[in-house]
Amino acid sequence: MKRVLPTATIAVLSTAAAVPAVAAAQPTTRAHAHAYERAYHKVAHEFGARVPGRNIIRDGLPGGRRPSDEQTVASLTVLQRMLQPAVPAAPSPSGAAATVSGAVSGGSAAGASGVPACASESGTNYSTGPSNTNPSSGATGRYQILPSTAAAYGCNLATAAGQDACAQVIYANQGASAWVGCGG
């Protein structure tokens, strides 16, 4: 027995077939691909080969897909932000300027004030040595911050105060979902 579809359903199906989803995604332009490659290599040179992550122009996206121009521009923006120098915070009322790498009140034992406890992925271990660094991602320190994230925010992960300050900046910009243990 044949099934008869209503005329409205046929119209919707024929319209969907006429406008494929990929038509909306434009391929990466040559200029954007070139700018991306330059920024990618500059980040890799300045911060290390693992910091910029996957080269989406050379290697494609996960699953072997090619990036759209919109995706390339978004990744280029992140790479360019990594290359910009850290902007110091506004001077405090006492006149001393606080930067992301500067000291944070709240201390190393308590961690960064205002950051949820679930962000302390390594407990109270601020070490950035091999025993407290994820070998596959490079995430390190008490909050297991990725090198690319630290570079993007201008963080100094070498000190406990720098890690606390960095966690506060990440939390302020991305919320608790930046950490897997906090729902990310």
Side-chain angles (χ1 to χ4, degrees), residues 22-132:
V22 272
Q26 298 296 320
T28 302
T29 65
R30 193 175 296 208
H32 288 152
H34 186 66
Y36 175 90
E37 288 287 352
R38 278 196 322 262
Y40 181 91
H41 291 295
K42 190 169 183 180
V43 168
H45 177 74
E46 287 188 28
F47 302 110
R50 292 172 56 172
V51 171
R54 175 191 291 264
N55 183 325
I56 63 171
I57 297 298
R58 183 187 68 213
D59 303 326
L61 298 171
R65 297 176 296 126
R66 302 304 312 161
S68 68
D69 193 50
E70 183 180 344
Q71 291 167 320
T72 301
V73 170
S75 291
L76 173 60
T77 302
V78 170
L79 292 170
Q80 289 171 334
R81 192 172 60 210
M82 292 171 130
L83 294 168
Q84 293 177 352
V87 179
S92 64
S94 64
T99 62
V100 173
S101 61
V104 174
S105 62
S108 58
S113 60
V115 176
C118 56
S120 297
E121 294 186 8
S122 292
T124 58
N125 186 355
Y126 284 98
S127 169
T128 55
S131 65
N132 196 31

Side-chain angles (χ1 to χ4, degrees), residues 104-169:
V104 174
S105 62
S108 58
S113 60
V115 176
C118 56
S120 297
E121 294 186 8
S122 292
T124 58
N125 186 355
Y126 284 98
S127 169
T128 55
S131 65
N132 196 31
T133 299
N134 183 316
S136 62
S137 68
T140 190
R142 178 177 184 169
Y143 305 98
Q144 291 295 292
I145 298 170
L146 293 168
S148 57
T149 304
Y153 289 115
C155 296
N156 174 6
L157 300 180
T159 65
Q163 290 180 36
D164 286 343
C166 192
Q168 286 179 325
V169 171

